[in-house]
């Protein structure tokens, strides 16, 4: 308290300083009069302090005081120049007047250069930290649901990992390599219109309402958000109204989404041929089990209208008659062929389950907004509707959004701002991605899609995965999943005195999910399971912000922010389930049998209190200094460790404003050097990590059981990330070329990490603070106006980022480099073994090792000399099996024989945006790329290894798998007996803790580089000329068309190379999207 | 100026009042400092422990796979234990057992300090917990031999890194817990057969002492104690007249059961017996389809009963256990499509079969055969045969008429156990007891062990030694 008062007194004293200086400046001069006056801001009523007033051609000047008043001694012939950052320069000839009042007008061009920083805005020219922004142009024509995707390739240092192509789904996003070795924990902090961290993602935000997206990358800019800012910050600002004529925009977009690429699966004829021939050739123990009895796709023994269609033609003719068979062949798409084993004729239907799973998705989007205002009030009102199908059948995404923002000027000193928004999402995603995307598509093509009565058939006949059409008909179509998001904000700005404002704000943000699931009676699931969930998350936030702007002598500019913030989160979960209803008519729980009903609710709280402050100073726009600090207390830590302190400091030098630089200014119009250091925190832990947890849910014999599930660690403290950044902003040729370059070094210490425990403790891990990792990198953003003629222009934007993540320090554990995890491999340089993998000091993380595939054994004799393959569990190897390199020649194939394949995350990423304009026509071409990662195509390995004995195969299996002695095949033999379960292990191998623990092949045969160049967007828009508009009484009309996610240039042979998890187990790929739209403005 | 003062005042109040703001309630879970405050906490904790114990016991990996009861099923998917290719790289982790032991230690530490209105209720809970801890260590010693002895709950990251204790010390610990349990059980301690009781503790003690005498060079004294404990455990029980009644879902905890782990689908799914059951599509063309214990989902024929087991059943055409234990799917042409478990058939609910048989830990038949085994080991074969015949007669195969020398009778007891307890998680420890007892050579009994030198105890994962350097790998691995 005392300190604050003292500080305040200081500030009061400081403001006398400029007056004194002014006096000094006006002592000399001849034939002069004293001019006085007041400078006002745009409204004409608010005095504007700190305005520079200079005399043209002379070295005298002053600046306006706190009440906007100034006084200066000049000659009558002098010209006064009034200037202020963000406002247009005003020139007044003195003449006879002794009082000159001026009203400064906002300079739109200068304003564009104002960027959002934490709790405030700042002119780009004096910013000293590393940040990038994306304006509404990038958002306006976004094809579909998630605005985050628009960041890809356009912001250096932001890496997006696309998890799936489900509309609205969230990419995993890391800024500057994240701060942990587990990407899930690396999500940056989202701040949407001031709400800090309430939203874990912004997927449901209508891109059309977004004004700008700002990415804060270095700790000097994020330190003001202290805790949780370690992974960078993304600030989103939505549109607001501005004074002027009422503006109405209507935008209509339609389009469709399609798969970029299809899996190269066999048709029924080739599948039957290959799987039956190979069963006879390679399965000598029980071929009949696979070939008869209707058990598998390649089995005969399927009567009329059963799930599978394969049968001998003579059986069909005998049992169902000539006419029936003729109808099948002529009208129902059935085919016949000669059985490669018996020579008898087979009959079957050819069905494509890839087509049964994927579709062409339709998309419709309508956006409508009105904005406007006057002196006292301005408003923005936006309505949005989006209906987008996924490319997986039965999936879609609907979103209704409403946004209202208003500003009210209550009096000279009080302004009120209010925001209310509502969005309703109704989305249906695949219930289980693996079943739908990695299994349903692989159903053998001999299975039926539809029964004779027209109803969908299940495929193989199990409930987990099946014919997607069957699943939709009996299950997916009953899904009813709605999410309601509401935001209310009420804030005020109190202009206490010129330059000093106090802004209190209150925020309420809630997400409510209501989900209902039901499965109707069908042959695979007979008990009509129903379930429901009700989730409520509520975020309350109160901010108080004191802002003080001060400048004197036209040279010293201060901006001081002092604030406090309180965040409170509440989450409520209710779930219920039941089954054995007697009707399909009621999909809700009330129809289920009472004794099967179960219900559960949980409640959780989280709170954080923060105090923060920042001082930005610059001297004459030349020397900049910024200091900030934040003090955060989180409920997640134990009593003595709640509080964390996060300071940040940055400085900059606008060299181009120096006098000595003027000879160069013809070429170099802007040159700024920046440097920053700061510390941020991370509290990604549960309250129970610091207090221990006892959980229910351990029923026994009908009784409620409770167990201690989380080990207490009350020594936990904040994880800290200290980062250091040096950057340069360079503008050439009157800023036609702009270059931003940043080098950074980010070091995260006291990491909150699950420290592995030895098993006899009864726990596998305990949340602990340990170890240090670092991320170093370079980021470059280039923007250039290559051509700028009256009719034609070409703007080019390019980004480049390189990041290297290294583990710096781990707790002493007796191992070399204090390695945690990992395993031994053979080291050819010493002939011994070395330990690799896991995490170790001085090493990059995310390395992967695999068995080195060398080819195929051509004869049984050759195979007999194979090393003992532990994966194959003692199984004898025969001709057609894979040769894996026994690197240490010890006669045993184990982890020691694995070789390094690469790292799972790319080290270099970037993008290029080209924007061409010819008269009213504009063309955008966007590409982005990533290099340096590898992908283990586990999905392909499972297909080639027939992981389920009963799945379709790739075309390569027909042509490139081993068939006979001397066959120089790419792949080992194809057998319908699961390569995995029957211990052949030619395709899928153990991971030995240094490969992919799940979903990968761990076989070099299926590894490839993930490097890609993505053709992200080609779009064309046409703005109707003004005279046409005037005739139509419109203020604008724009038509546009675009294609997004056009394709990749890559060596990776899976569906999508944007995978940074090391393995591909079957993804929901990003669709190719076509967009058509029109925007009308009134 | 006044306005500024006001703001500062507001901020100041906010600051001073703020410390409370970072405290929140925990509603749906309980923190360490809140737990162990009422009697109900102790009772609930015990049920949690049973839940965990059921999870640990619900597997064939440790006590069946390494034996000779299984061959590959229709779908395959064989464990490293069955393949006998256990190595430090693929070794099973003992984490589950030690987690269970941690929970026991926690209850024994904090529950013991609690005030109960009726002291006996507390003693009952403590006794059951001692039983479970003893049972867990018994499973550990039978699987890994030397194991660390953890008797304190884990409450921080700085626990002592214990080395593996000699088998004799582990055995001493097991017996100490058993004595504690016996001393604490009020009366017969029987609440329900789904919970441990005094009888169950006697049964465990008989089991443990048999192991001690045969595997760990115990003495005659131990064998005599096996008989008294088996007798004590048998009190008040009677054999089911019909063998198939033992695992009948309608007859859970029948007259023969001493202690079983309760199983019902809403509490616990994936009964281990599903690994010997067919999916419907694999047997849909079988002539006896309807008689098969198939399920549409939840069944997986990883294993089939082995020809050796079937031969043991087929020694006596009248053996009622054969059809009650295994079933063949027969094709139209009379060939066998596959062979499946028929003992733990589960229940048909809403047109689908759920495998929900209780996991019977001890039943009367085993007490009788324990006695027979102890008597035979004491070289009292005639008395052993009397016990053996009780089991044979229930199975309708008549009295034993073969040679009555010690070794032959012991072989016969082992074979009887094979037929009686197939799939009841007894076979691998049985083979080890009779191997170390000198009756058989396990390396010739188990087909996958023939010609190998794989150690009989399980290895521990390499990563465990990385994390706790005081641990040593099980002898014979690396």
């Amino acid at each position: 308290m005392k300190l604050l008062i003292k500080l305040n007194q200081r500030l009061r004293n400081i403001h006398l300083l400029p007056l004194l200086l002014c006096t000094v400046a006006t002592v000399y001069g001849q034939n002069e009069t004293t001019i006085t006056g007041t400078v006002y801001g745009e409204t004409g009523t608010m005095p504007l302090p700190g305005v520079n007033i200079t005399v043209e051609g002379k070295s005298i000047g002053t600046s306006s005081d706190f009440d906007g008043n100034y006084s200066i001694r000049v000659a009558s012939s002098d010209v006064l120049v009034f200037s202020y950052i963000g406002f247009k320069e005003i020139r007044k000839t003195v003449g006879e007047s002794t009082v000159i009042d001026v009203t400064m007008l906002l300079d739109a061009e200068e304003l564009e250069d104002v960027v959002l920083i934490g709790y405030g805005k700042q002119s780009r020219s004096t910013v000293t930290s590393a940040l990038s922004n994306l304006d509404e142009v990038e958002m306006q024509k976004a094809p579909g649901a998630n605005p985050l995707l628009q960041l890809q390739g356009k912001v250096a240092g932001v890496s997006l990992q696309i998890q799936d192509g489900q509309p609205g789904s969230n990419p995993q996003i890391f800024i500057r390599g994240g701060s942990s070795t587990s990407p899930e924990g690396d999500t940056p902090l989202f701040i949407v219109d001031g709400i800090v961290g309430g939203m874990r993602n912004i997927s449901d935000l209508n891109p059309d309402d977004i004004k700008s997206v700002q990415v804060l990358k270095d700790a000097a800019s994020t330190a003001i958000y202290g805790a949780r800012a370690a992974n960078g910050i993304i600030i989103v600002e939505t549109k607001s109204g501005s004074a002027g004529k009422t503006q109405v925009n209507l935008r209509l977009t339609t389009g469709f989404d399609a798969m970029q690429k299809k899996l190269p699966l066999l048709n029924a004829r080739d599948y039957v041929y290959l799987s039956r021939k190979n069963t006879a050739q390679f399965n000598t123990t029980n071929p009949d089990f696979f070939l008869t009895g209707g058990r598998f796709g390649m089995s005969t023994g399927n009567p009329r209208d059963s799930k599978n269609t394969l049968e001998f033609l003579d059986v069909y003719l005998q049992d169902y008659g000539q006419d029936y068979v003729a109808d099948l062949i002529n009208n129902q798409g059935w085919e016949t062929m000669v059985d490669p084993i018996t020579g008898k004729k087979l009959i079957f239907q050819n069905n494509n389950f890839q087509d049964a799973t994927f579709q062409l998705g339709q998309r419709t989007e309508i956006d409508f907004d009105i904005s406007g205002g006057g002196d006292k009030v301005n408003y923005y009102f936006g309505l949005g509707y989006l209906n987008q199908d996924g490319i997986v059948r039965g999936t879609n995404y609907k979103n209704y959004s409403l946004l209202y923002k208003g500003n009210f000027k209550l009096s000279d000193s009080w302004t009120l701002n209010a925001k209310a928004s509502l969005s309703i999402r109704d989305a249906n995603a695949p219930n289980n991605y693996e079943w739908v995307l990695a299994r349903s598509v692989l159903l053998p093509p001999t299975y039926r899609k539809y029964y004779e009565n027209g109803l969908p058939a299940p495929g193989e006949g199990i409930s987990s995965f099946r014919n997607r059409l069957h699943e939709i008909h009996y299950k997916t179509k009953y899904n009813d999943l709605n999410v309601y998001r509401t935001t209310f904000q009420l804030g005020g700005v109190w202009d206490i005195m010129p330059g000093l404002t106090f802004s209190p704000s209150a925020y309420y943000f809630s997400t409510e999910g209501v989900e209902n699931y039901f499965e109707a009676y069908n042959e695979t699931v007979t008990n009509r399971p129903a379930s429901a969930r009700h989730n409520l998350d509520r975020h309350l936030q109160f901010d108080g912000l004191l802002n003080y702007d001060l400048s004197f002598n036209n040279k010293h500019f201060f901006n001081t922010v002092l604030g406090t913030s309180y965040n409170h989160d509440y989450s409520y979960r209710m779930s219920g389930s039941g089954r054995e209803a007697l009707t399909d008519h009621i999909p809700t729980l009330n129809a289920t049998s009472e004794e099967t009903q179960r219900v559960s609710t949980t409640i959780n709280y989280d709170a954080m209190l923060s105090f923060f402050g920042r001082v930005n100073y610059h001297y004459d726009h030349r020397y900049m200094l910024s200091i900030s600090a934040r003090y955060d207390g989180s409920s997640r830590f134990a009593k003595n460790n709640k509080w964390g302190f996060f300071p940040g400091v940055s400085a900059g030098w606008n060299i181009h404003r120096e006098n000595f630089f003027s000879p160069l200014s013809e070429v170099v119009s802007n040159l700024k050097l920046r440097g920053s250091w700061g510390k941020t925190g991370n509290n990604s832990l549960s309250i129970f990590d610091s207090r221990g947890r006892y959980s229910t849910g351990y029923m026994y014999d009908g009784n409620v059981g409770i167990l201690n599930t989380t080990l207490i660690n009350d020594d936990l403290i904040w994880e800290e990330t200290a980062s250091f950044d040096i950057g340069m902003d360079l503008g050439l040729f009157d800023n036609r070329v702009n270059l931003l370059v940043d080098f950074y070094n980010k070091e995260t210490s006291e990491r909150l990490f699950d420290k592995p425990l030895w098993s006899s403790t009864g726990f596998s891990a305990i949340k602990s603070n340990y170890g240090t990792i670092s991320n170093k990198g370079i980021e470059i953003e280039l923007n250039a106006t290559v051509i700028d003629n009256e009719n034609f222009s070409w703007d080019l934007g390019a980004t480049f980022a390189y990041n290297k993540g290294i583990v710096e320090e781990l707790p002493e554990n007796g191992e070399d480099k204090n390695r945690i995890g990992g395993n031994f491999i053979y080291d050819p340089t010493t002939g011994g073994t070395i330990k690799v993998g896991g995490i170790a000091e001085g090493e990059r993380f995310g390395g992967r090792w695999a068995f080195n595939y060398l080819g195929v054994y051509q004869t049984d004799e050759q195979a007999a000399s194979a090393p003992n393959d532990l994966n194959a569990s003692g199984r004898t190897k025969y001709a057609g099996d894979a040769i894996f390199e026994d690197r240490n020649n010890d006669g045993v194939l184990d982890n020691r024989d694995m070789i390094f394949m690469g790292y799972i995350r790319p080290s270099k990423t970037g993008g290029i945006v080209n924007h061409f304009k010819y008269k009213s026509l504009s063309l955008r071409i966007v590409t982005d790329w990533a290099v340096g990662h590898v992908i283990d195509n586990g999905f392909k390995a499972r297909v080639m290894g027939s992981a389920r004995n009963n799945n379709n195969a790739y075309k390569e299996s027909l042509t490139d798998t081993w068939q006979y002695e001397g066959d120089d095949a790419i792949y080992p033999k194809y057998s319908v007996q699961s390569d995995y379960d029957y211990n052949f292990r030619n395709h899928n191998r153990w991971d030995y803790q240094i490969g992919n623990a799940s979903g990968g092949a761990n076989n070099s045969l299926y590894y490839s580089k993930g490097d890609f160049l993505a053709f992200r967007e080609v779009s064309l828009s046409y703005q109707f000329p003004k005279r046409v508009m005037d005739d139509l009484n419109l203020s604008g009309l724009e038509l546009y068309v675009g294609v997004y996610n056009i394709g990749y240039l890559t060596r990776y042979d899976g569906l999508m190379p944007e995978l940074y998890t090391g393995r591909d187990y079957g993804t929901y790929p990003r669709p190719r999207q076509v967009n058509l739209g029109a925007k009308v403005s009134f | 100026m006044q306005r500024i003062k006001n703001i500062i005042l507001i901020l100041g109040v906010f600051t001073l009042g703020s410390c409370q703001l970072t405290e929140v309630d925990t509603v749906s879970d309980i923190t360490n400092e809140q737990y162990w405050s009422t009697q109900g906490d102790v009772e609930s904790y015990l049920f949690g422990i049973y839940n965990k114990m059921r999870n640990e016991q619900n597997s064939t990996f440790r006590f069946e796979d390494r034996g000779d009861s299984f061959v590959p099923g229709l779908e395959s998917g064989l464990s490293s234990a069955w393949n006998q290719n256990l190595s430090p790289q693929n070794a099973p982790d003992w984490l589950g057992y030690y987690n269970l032991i941690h929970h026991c230690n926690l209850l024994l530490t904090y529950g013991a300090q609690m005030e109960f209105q009726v002291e006996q209720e507390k003693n009952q809970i403590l006794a059951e917990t001692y039983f479970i801890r003893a049972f867990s260590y018994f499973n550990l010693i039978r699987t890994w031999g030397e194991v660390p002895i953890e008797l304190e709950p884990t409450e921080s990251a700085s626990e002592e890194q214990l080395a593996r204790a000699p088998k004799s010390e582990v055995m001493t610990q097991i017996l100490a817990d058993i004595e504690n349990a016996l001393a604490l059980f009020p009366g017969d301690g029987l609440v329900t057969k789904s919970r441990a009781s005094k009888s169950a503790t006697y049964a465990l003690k008989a089991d443990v002492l048999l192991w001690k005498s045969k595997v760990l060079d115990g003495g005659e004294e131990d064998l005599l104690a096996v008989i008294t404990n088996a007798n004590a455990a048998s009190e008040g029980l009677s054999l089911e007249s019909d063998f198939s009644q033992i695992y009948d879902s309608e007859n859970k905890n029948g007259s023969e059961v001493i202690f079983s782990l309760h199983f019902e689908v809403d509490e616990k799914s994936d009964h281990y017996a599903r690994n010997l059951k067919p999916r419907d599509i694999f047997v849909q063309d079988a002539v006896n389809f309807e008689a098969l214990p198939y399920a549409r989902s939840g069944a997986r024929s990883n294993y089939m009963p082995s020809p050796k087991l079937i031969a043991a059943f087929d020694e006596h055409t009248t053996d009622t256990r054969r059809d009650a234990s295994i079933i063949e799917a027969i094709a139209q042409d009379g060939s066998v499509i596959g062979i499946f478990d028929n003992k733990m058939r589960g229940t048909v609910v809403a047109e689908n079969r759920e495998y929900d048989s209780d996991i019977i830990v001890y039943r009367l038949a085993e007490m009788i055969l324990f006695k027979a085994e102890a008597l035979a080991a004491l070289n009292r074969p005639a008395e052993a045969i009397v016990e053996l015949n009780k089991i044979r007669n229930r199975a309708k195969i008549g009295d034993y008429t073969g040679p009555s020398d010690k070794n032959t009778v012991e072989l016969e007891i082992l074979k009887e156990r094979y037929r009686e307890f197939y799939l009841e998680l007894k076979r691998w420890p049985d083979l080890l007891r009779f191997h170390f007892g000198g009756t058989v050579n396990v390396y010739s009994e188990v087909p996958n062990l023939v010609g190998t030198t794989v150690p009989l105890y399980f290895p521990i994962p390499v990563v465990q030694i990385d994390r706790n350097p005081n641990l040593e790998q099980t002898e014979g691995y690396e």
Side-chain angles (χ1 to χ4, degrees), chain B residues 29-284:
Chain B
D29 290 88
I30 309 159
T31 58
N32 280 23
E33 59 185 77
Q34 295 164 326
Y35 208 73
W36 304 115
S37 55
T38 65
Q39 181 171 339
D41 290 350
V42 187
E43 288 162 353
S44 302
Y45 211 83
L46 181 67
F47 292 121
I49 288 176
Y50 275 109
N51 173 293
K52 204 80 206 174
M53 181 184 184
R54 176 175 59 197
N55 283 357
E56 285 314 301
Q57 204 64 5
N58 185 34
S59 165
T60 59
F61 187 84
R62 298 180 191 95
F63 299 131
E64 288 284 2
D65 288 9
R66 293 195 76 182
D68 48 7
S69 303
F70 300 162
V71 292
L74 296 180
E75 296 190 70
S76 208
L78 306 161
S79 72
S80 53
W82 184 86
N83 280 308
Q84 305 288 357
N85 70 339
L86 289 159
S87 76
Q89 294 296 348
N90 63 8
D93 196 354
W94 54 37
L95 177 65
Y97 281 132
Y98 277 103
N99 184 255
L100 181 55
I101 288 167
H102 160 77
H103 295 310
C104 293
N105 291 340
L106 206 53
L107 193 150
L108 291 173
T109 304
Y110 292 104
Q113 301 164 7
M114 302 276 307
E115 292 276 337
F116 273 55
Q117 285 187 329
V118 181
E119 187 71 7
Q120 286 194 339
E121 288 176 9
K122 179 163 111 179
N123 290 342
Q124 169 81 27
I125 291 173
L126 294 177
E128 289 178 49
T129 310
Y130 276 118
F131 170 91
I132 295 169
R133 190 166 77 176
F135 186 75
S136 304
Y137 274 111
F138 186 45
N139 283 339
L140 282 167
I141 199 175
R142 290 189 294 173
T143 310
W144 282 280
E146 288 94 2
V147 294
I149 301 176
E150 296 270 5
L151 300 176
E152 300 293 326
T154 301
E155 293 183 287
S156 79
S158 50
E159 293 289 315
E160 193 187 344
Q161 297 191 311
L162 296 179
R164 296 171 76 166
K167 290 177 202 131
S168 59
E169 283 180 28
V170 181
M171 183 48 74
T172 307
Q173 176 55 40
I174 294 168
L175 289 168
D177 277 350
I178 287 174
E179 291 314 319
N180 280 331
L182 289 174
L184 283 165
F185 270 119
D188 64 2
L190 187 72
V191 182
T192 147
K193 286 181 175 181
S194 296
R195 286 169 61 177
S197 60
K198 205 169 216 172
S199 299
T201 315
Y202 287 129
L204 173 63
K205 192 173 177 186
D207 202 355
V208 167
L209 290 173
L210 258 183
W211 186 269
K212 182 173 178 238
S213 70
K214 288 190 155 180
V215 181
L216 305 178
D217 303 319
E220 239 177 52
E221 214 176 294
D222 295 324
L223 291 171
L224 290 169
V226 169
I227 298 168
T228 39
N229 280 289
N231 278 329
S234 308
E235 237 164 86
L237 302 172
S238 60
L239 289 177
E240 295 283 353
S241 54
D242 178 358
F243 181 84
S244 68
Q245 282 294 300
I246 299 169
Y247 275 94
D248 192 323
S249 291
E250 301 293 310
N251 185 41
K252 286 189 166 195
N253 285 338
S255 65
E256 185 170 340
V257 173
I258 298 172
F259 171 46
S260 72
L261 286 164
H262 178 76
F263 213 101
E264 71 177 78
V265 171
D266 283 328
E267 272 183 15
K268 172 82 188 136
S269 52
D270 295 344
H271 192 287
Y272 68 82
R274 80 196 183 99
N275 290 321
L276 285 88
K277 299 293 195 322
R279 283 167 52 192
D280 56 350
I281 62 161
F282 288 169
V283 289
Q284 60 194 9

Side-chain angles (χ1 to χ4, degrees), chain A residues 28-34 58 73-78 94-95:
Chain A
Y28 57 94
Q30 289 166 336
N31 284 336
E32 290 169 341
T33 50
T34 302
K58 292 186 179 171
R73 278 183 71 81
V74 289
S76 57
S77 59
D78 282 345
V94 175

Side-chain angles (χ1 to χ4, degrees), chain A residues 419-463:
Chain A
K419 175 188 168 185
S421 75
L422 168 69
S423 88
I424 303 170
R425 184 219 306 159
D426 172 2
N428 217 342
N431 51 308
N432 180 312
Y433 282 73
E434 190 183 345
W435 290 347
V436 174
L437 295 151
R439 293 192 166 182
S440 290
V441 289
L442 291 180
L443 278 172
T446 44
Y447 279 104
R448 275 177 180 276
K449 268 192 202 169
Y450 295 99
Y451 284 123
E452 289 184 358
N453 63 8
L455 287 172
E460 189 179 309
I462 54 173
S463 60

Side-chain angles (χ1 to χ4, degrees), chain A residues 460 496 526 603 700 702 759, chain B residues 3 28 194 267 279 350 464 466:
Chain A
E460 189 179 309
I496 302 166
T526 48
I603 291 174
Y700 182 75
S759 295
Chain B
R3 288 189 289 199
S28 296
S194 296
E267 272 183 15
R279 283 167 52 192
Q464 285 301 317
D466 290 348

Side-chain angles (χ1 to χ4, degrees), chain A residues 925-964:
Chain A
I925 299 173
V926 181
T927 55
D928 58 71
W929 53 271
V931 297
H933 64 296
V934 293
I935 306 173
D936 178 358
N937 195 343
F939 177 74
K940 184 176 176 183
R942 285 210 317 239
V943 176
M944 300 303 288
S946 191
R948 299 201 67 261
N949 312 325
N950 198 21
N951 50 253
N952 201 351
Y954 274 6
K955 288 178 176 148
E956 284 167 286
S957 312
L958 198 61
T959 52
D960 295 328
T961 58
W962 186 88
Q963 299 287 346
Y964 51 84

Side-chain angles (χ1 to χ4, degrees), chain A residues 287-389:
Chain A
D288 279 355
F289 181 69
F290 288 91
L291 296 174
T292 64
R295 295 176 190 95
F296 297 102
M298 77 298 277
S299 314
T300 56
N302 298 290
R304 174 178 172 173
D305 210 21
S306 56
K307 293 185 289 253
N308 194 347
T309 60
L310 189 67
E311 187 50 286
F312 289 110
L313 179 61
D314 57 359
V315 175
Y316 257 47
L317 286 171
Q318 192 187 332
D319 290 356
Y320 313 119
Q322 186 93 42
D323 291 349
Y324 177 73
V325 173
D327 178 57
L328 292 179
I329 294 170
N330 296 330
N331 307 316
Q332 318 272 347
W334 290 56
E335 299 173 25
T336 61
M337 68 181 274
V338 176
D339 181 8
I341 306 169
T342 58
K344 287 169 69 179
K345 269 212 155 174
L346 290 166
I347 185 165
F348 54 89
Q349 191 178 27
N350 179 27
N351 286 304
N352 184 329
F353 285 96
Q354 210 170 179
D355 287 351
T357 308
F358 293 105
Q359 66 181 1
L360 185 71
Q362 301 278 331
R363 179 159 31 80
T364 310
E365 190 176 347
I366 303 168
D367 295 296
F368 173 77
D369 63 68
I370 304 180
S371 62
D375 283 353
K376 300 283 184 196
V377 177
N378 65 54
Y379 61 90
Y380 175 89
F381 193 78
L383 276 173
Y385 165 75
L386 171 68
N387 185 353
Q388 181 176 4
D389 290 335

